[in-house]
Amino acid sequence: MEDTLSIRPILPIRRPVDPAVAAAAPDQDGPVWYAAYGSNMNTDRLACYLGGGRPADGAREYPGCRDGRPPRRSVPVRLPGSLYFALESRVWGGGMAFYDPHGPGTSPARAHLLTAGQFSDIAAQEMGGGPGTDLDLGTVLRTGRDRQGPGRYQTLVCLGTLDGFPVLTFTAPWALAEAELNAPRARYLRTIAAGLVDAHGWTTRRAAVYLTTRPGAAGHWTVKSLYAALAPHTGGSASATGSGRS
């Protein structure tokens, strides 16, 4: 089954960014695409980063961005590379979603058109901080990658341009092969799955199939146990840690 919504093309990270884009790094109000590959595909979850609040099933209240307006646009995209789950989330418990742009395959995602200031504030909140400091995007636009710190989401990645604006995301500094994999919790996967269904027009079962094949989730979640957790109206059940097997 193909995606029901069109996938917008993104330049692969191994190709350089347009020099004109790199030379004109956007100021705080300049537009950039934020490529969300995890829970921020879900617009309700993203709204907590933008306007402040606590996501459903989450354990943290977010202060929000200096500019709390919603994205100008949100479009489905497919990124080169791999989604995986590792470490321990302070918000959801269990593994967190990370992205290796050099990993195998492609990853469905959702690109939100924001300001550079909003992107900076979302990145800061992902690291447990607050809004107020603008990231220097010059290096990531020139080289495609900028490790701004050792933290979990302090490595910036530029995947190219979409409609003339740079496509940015953030992830961990290590590669998939070096990651400390850890199984994600049901409540986290529900949020990611809702974003996949909304952005890409997938069925809940297709989202379950995709997520259970991601490193960290594979071997701990099965399609049967995760589908039961994502679609409780079916009458299924799953353990809190997703260790059920079919």
Side-chain angles (χ1 to χ4, degrees):
M1 176 180 174
E2 296 297 324
D3 294 337
T4 58
L5 298 179
S6 61
I7 301 299
R8 305 299 181 94
I10 289 184
L11 298 177
I13 191 172
R14 295 166 184 84
R15 294 178 57 186
V17 178
D18 184 338
V21 173
D27 59 21
Q28 177 182 334
D29 297 321
V32 299
W33 292 100
Y34 162 41
Y37 52 82
S39 61
N40 281 339
M41 286 190 285
N42 185 313
T43 53
D44 289 338
R45 162 67 161 151
L46 181 69
C48 295
Y49 278 116
L50 292 170
R54 183 190 299 269
D57 292 330
R60 182 186 171 199
E61 186 86 15
Y62 291 88
C65 296
R66 291 165 288 177
D67 178 353
R69 291 176 297 174
R72 298 185 196 180
R73 293 168 61 198
S74 294
V75 298
V77 294
R78 187 172 289 275
L79 309 180
S82 304
L83 173 75
Y84 64 93
F85 296 97
L87 304 183
E88 183 78 13
S89 172
R90 293 184 290 267
V91 176
W92 308 100
M96 308 159 61
F98 293 101
Y99 166 64
D100 182 353
H102 296 290
T106 61
S107 299
R110 195 174 205 171
H112 305 289
L113 189 58
L114 306 172
T115 68
Q118 287 176 311
F119 177 77
S120 295
D121 288 346
I122 290 172
Q125 291 175 86
E126 281 279 22
M127 282 304 301
T133 301
D134 293 320
L135 294 171
D136 180 356
L137 301 179
T139 298
V140 70
L141 292 179
R142 289 192 304 272
T143 68
R145 179 183 175 91
D146 182 14
R147 181 174 178 176
Q148 297 209 344
R152 299 173 173 189
Y153 290 116
Q154 287 185 310
T155 296
L156 306 181
V157 176
C158 181
L159 295 133
T161 58
L162 177 61
D163 294 343
F165 303 124
V167 180
L168 303 169
T169 195
F170 37 76
T171 187
W174 51 79
L176 168 58
E178 304 165 327
E180 298 177 14
L181 299 179
N182 189 24
R185 298 287 180 88
R187 55 188 180 181
Y188 186 42
L189 293 176
R190 277 196 292 268
T191 302
I192 298 175
L196 288 166
V197 169
D198 186 38
H200 289 269
W202 286 10
T203 64
T204 302
R205 181 169 290 278
R206 182 175 181 182
V209 170
Y210 168 70
L211 291 170
T212 55
T213 61
R214 299 307 87 199
H220 296 269
W221 285 100
T222 65
V223 174
K224 180 178 179 181
S225 65
L226 182 54
Y227 182 73
L230 299 180
H233 60 275
T234 62
S237 61
S239 67
T241 59
S243 59
R245 298 184 179 276
S246 59

